[in-house]
Structure formats: structure tokens, C-alpha cells
Amino acid sequence: MNGLNVSKRTIGVDFTASEEARVQLWAPEAKEVELLIPGKNKTVSLTCKEQGYWMAETNHLQPGDLYYFELDGKKQLPDPASLSQPDDVLGASQALDISSFKWEDGSWQHFPLKEYISYEIHIGTFTSEGTFAAAEKKLDYLVDLGITAVEIMPVAQFSGSRNWGYDGVYPFCVQHSYGGAQGLQSFVNACHIKGLAVILDVVYNHIGPEGNHLAEFGPYFTEKYRTPWGNAINFDDAWCDGVRKFFIENALMWFRDFHIDALRMDAVHAIKDFSPTHILQEIRQEVDLLMQQTGRKHYLIVELDLNDTRFINPLSKLGYGMDAQWIDEFHHALRVTSGQEKTGYYSDFEAIESLAKSYQDAYVYDGAFSEHRKKVFGIKTENPGEQFVVFSQNHDHVGNRMLGERTSQLVSFEMQKLLAGAVLVSPYLPMLFMGEEYGEKNPFQYFVSHKDPELAEAVRKGRREEFKAFHIEGEAPDPVSEETFERSKLRWDSVDQEPHKTMLSYYKKLIALRKSQSPLYVLNRKEVSVEYKKETQVIILRRQHKMQDIICLMNFSKQEQPVDVPVYASLWYKLLGSSDQEWAGPKDMPDRFSGELALTLPPESITLYSNHYE
């Protein structure tokens, strides 16, 4: 009874061609289950099948109707697999026929993961309106920037209208204030028409606190483990089969019914599962079956705070089969190298040296002793560059600062350009955080809209405690205040003003080079070499492909620095210089120079040279 059918929904409410509702609920310890339709004053009894699944087929429930479940004659509860919560997390569920959406993306050709240049957005703060419909209007801007994939922070229904999304309590339900299921489908459809892939951030390591009814339906959680955010999800304890199916079905739904191209799974290191087949492996297997049926390609990307290639190795090599992972270590090394503080977990990273190692080896800690962790950490990786996602900013590393300052508030204009270049010349998949491409000045702060006063106060207290580890003085912005949320929205009117206009043009040039120069877009880590001088804070990154070489000269110091360029070619031609006056810099670098000559690098600059003239 718990068998999966990858071609259609088999939990929650689904509709047949004749609009008959098929209802299935997993409640293994219930003695009686009824479906209540208040608007029609109807009650439908469900029949218990195998392994705790209750089922019914009825014509009484139609698309648009509100409904509840009632277990053992007790209180009315929304559907755990609800697709719509128009009256927030405590209200009734709404029946939807998500198969009724008219897709226009039939000609969409999903491209290889190695071509991803991602752009992370939070729907609520990406535009002033905070909806999918408003975000659709910005897609031409992203295409013009050179982005190939839009990554959406979690949209599972949460309490209220303000949240990062990691407090979602209905994994199948798209946040109503953003535009709901149809709003997301329309957004994905529009992205595909414009040639953009869509990555959706999902959370399979915990469920948010307010409106979380899962435990009342069954043993969705286990006391065997804990996560930093509460009880761990039950992937390997008694009755775990129903829980596993619930989340596997969720992954399949996004791909099949919403045409999502890739999932980014939040903090998978916090998923505890000692089953013979890890839940991530099983998701991989079922997604592979779906791809065989549909012919569409889908990727699984994980946020992983473990330097463990088991997660990204293929199933054939006894791995979990994830296609790629975020590597925060690149960010940490880049941040410290740019001169920012070495507090908390940043204390493990050395300026220049750690960044050079990340360029060469992906993981900074690949079997070395971590002073912050007080243990040897990580293993070496030879996995290809397209399995690693890198960035200079993301929602976590901006929003988890006490004041939510973006890089534009922490470093100089010249350093911002250097950081952008450092990411986009890496042999990995680059990701931008919304607004960084024009130097957005508004912060991105942590915000929630919990209605429970005790929970709201607990969140405030938790934020204060969190910053003690970083020895930060002062008071964190109130995460419950609407002002904190409004303050975090992008200021699109600044895009056409200086220096934002120049920064945007610079990003466009960098991305265009990334796409057009084969040494940059071919992510063969064997064709990467790095030299560095810690005393001068200079890194020379060499990218090769076939007969073309590109050297990336990065000076992270605040002084001019001489550099001896290795003689890979008799003549070098400039592709880009961040210090050039074209980009409001202090000094034009030579358009060409002999490989036997020394160069002087401007402070906080990156210059790219190629041995091919174009």
C-alpha cells in the first residue's frame, strides 16, 4: 500500500478526469478518519487500508472546496499534504487540481548542470509586491544579466506572510501570500519560456514550529535524534516507511507537477538516517524513474556542512547520488581573504592560503585538523567542478549576520568587483544572491511572522544567543517586526544610479566571459593550477582548455603589488580588468603584455588575460 507511483500524486487529494476526488491519508495509529467539507455540510468516511493508509473516493469534494480531516472524533485538522492554505496554517485546507494548469513550456530543453549560473531569490523581498507574479516581471532583467537558473528560497506554507521559508509546516503547499500553487506554476512556465531553469529550495530536515500538525497524524518525528531546529524527522525508526514516502512524493511532485528543474535540499547533514538505503539515495532512485518516464532531466543539489563525497558520488559507487553540493568553505575562505573578521567558524580559515586551496581542491578541510571543530575533518575529493556550488554571498551568510549587512556594506567598491570575479572564474558552479550584481545597499535580515507571542519571543532570544558566539555587541533587529522585513527588500530604483549601474555592467561582462571562454566554462579541475603569495596577498589562478590559457591575477591587498606572470605564452591579451576606468576603477591595466615582463596589480583588483586574441 505504500508503493510509489512516480507518475501521479498518491497522497492527499487528487482529482480524476471526471473530477472525482481521490483522498489518501497516512494515519497509522488512528481508529477512525473522516473528511469534513464545512461549506457543504458533508462528511465522508475513509476506509483503512494497509500500513496505516486511509482512502476514499468522493464527488462531494470539488476543486476550491475547503476541507479538514477528523481523527477518532477529535479536533479538526488540515491535510498534512495540503496543496493550499488560504486561511493560513491553522485554517482549513483547500482542494486543488494542480494538473489543470495549462503549461506552455513544451519546447523547454533543460541544459546540463555545468551551464548553471544561479541567482538566489527570496520571493517576499525580491520585489516590493513580494509575489511570483511580480517576480515574473524581472525575468528579462535576469536573462540580460546572463543568469541561466533562478533559485527560489523555500515556499512551503509558513505562518503569516513574512519568513525566510525554512519554517514551512506544509511541505506540499505553496505559500498563499506569494500566489500559491498556480502562481509558482506560472512563474516556472515563464522562466522556461525565457530559457531559465528553476531551482527550488526544499527542507527535509525539520518542520517549522507554528501550525505543525504532523505528529497528530503519525510518528513523523523521532526522539532518537535532534536537529538545531527541533525534533528530527523519522526516516529510520518505527513507522518510518510512511514518512519516507511522504517526502519522496514531495520531491516528485515539484518535478512532475510544477516542472521544477532542480531541488536544493537544505542542510542534509541534519537528516539522520541509518536505514540500509539512505533517504537521499531513495529520492535519487525515484527521481531517476520519473526521468525515465518523462524524458526530462532533474537535478538534486544539497547544502552540506560535511566534506564527504559519499553524498555526491553516484549510486553506482555506493554514493547517495546527489548531483552537486554547496561548499561554504569557498565562501569562508573568500570572506577572510577579503579582510573581513575571523570570528566564529571563520576562525578556521587563513587569508589567501585557504582560498587558493579551495580553488585547487574544492574542500579546504580534506583530512586536516579543524581548530574550530576540534577534530580532523573532511576527505579529499576528485569530483568534477560541476558538483560544487560557490558564492560570495547567500541568504545565510548575509542574513545570519546580526544586522544582515550585504558585502556592499562591508567592503570597498573595488573589493566587491574582486569578489565577484573570484567566484565567476572559479572551476565550480557560480551562484549570485539577489541584488549583489548592482551592489544592493539594503540589508537582508532575519524575519518571521509567528503569531504565538511565546514563540515570537523565543525567536528573539535565540537570535541574541546566536551572536554571542561571534562576540558581537549591540541589539539584533526584531525578527518579528514588519519593518525588518520591509528593510530587507531590494531597491530596484538604484539599478540605474551610480555606482550601481557600473557594477551591474561589470557583472554582465564577467558572466559573458564565463560563458564565452572555454577555459572558464569547462569545469575540468585537472586543468586548474594556483599560485599564491601570502605576504603580498596575491593569487594567480590558471584555467586551461585545449590550447587556450586564461590567467586570473587577484590582488586582495590594499596596496599595489608586483607579480611575475608565469611564461605560459609569449603574449597575453586582456579580457577584463576590474581596476579599469571603464568600471570606475583607478587604473587601466595593459591591453597586452609579454609573458617575460612583470606586472603591477592595482589594490583590490582582478585582471584576466588570455593567450588567445579576440
Side-chain angles (χ1 to χ4, degrees), residues 330-342 349-356 415 418-419 537-539 554-557:
F330 181 92
H331 165 272
H332 300 347
L334 185 59
R335 172 194 168 104
V336 169
T337 300
S338 72
Q340 299 177 64
E341 66 270 17
K342 288 181 58 174
F349 296 86
E350 298 297 328
I352 303 297
E353 184 179 350
S354 293
L355 180 58
M415 181 60 78
L418 171 52
L419 295 178
Q537 300 180 52
V538 167
I539 291 179
M554 292 176 265
N555 176 12
F556 285 90
S557 78

Side-chain angles (χ1 to χ4, degrees), residues 269-289:
H269 49 272
I271 293 175
K272 309 299 183 183
D273 182 12
F274 283 93
S275 305
T277 301
H278 191 279
I279 184 62
L280 294 180
Q281 291 173 297
E282 193 169 355
I283 290 173
R284 171 81 278 165
Q285 291 167 351
E286 298 300 333
V287 170
D288 286 348
L289 287 176

Side-chain angles (χ1 to χ4, degrees), residues 53-73:
Y53 286 92
W54 296 77
M55 300 185 68
E57 294 186 356
T58 178
N59 289 316
H60 294 306
L61 185 66
Q62 298 293 317
D65 289 344
L66 299 178
Y67 68 97
Y68 291 100
F69 286 116
E70 186 174 87
L71 276 60
D72 300 331

Side-chain angles (χ1 to χ4, degrees), residues 129-143:
E129 300 92 336
T131 63
F132 293 117
E136 272 189 48
K137 298 175 183 178
K138 298 295 183 184
L139 295 182
D140 286 337
Y141 167 89
L142 296 181
V143 171

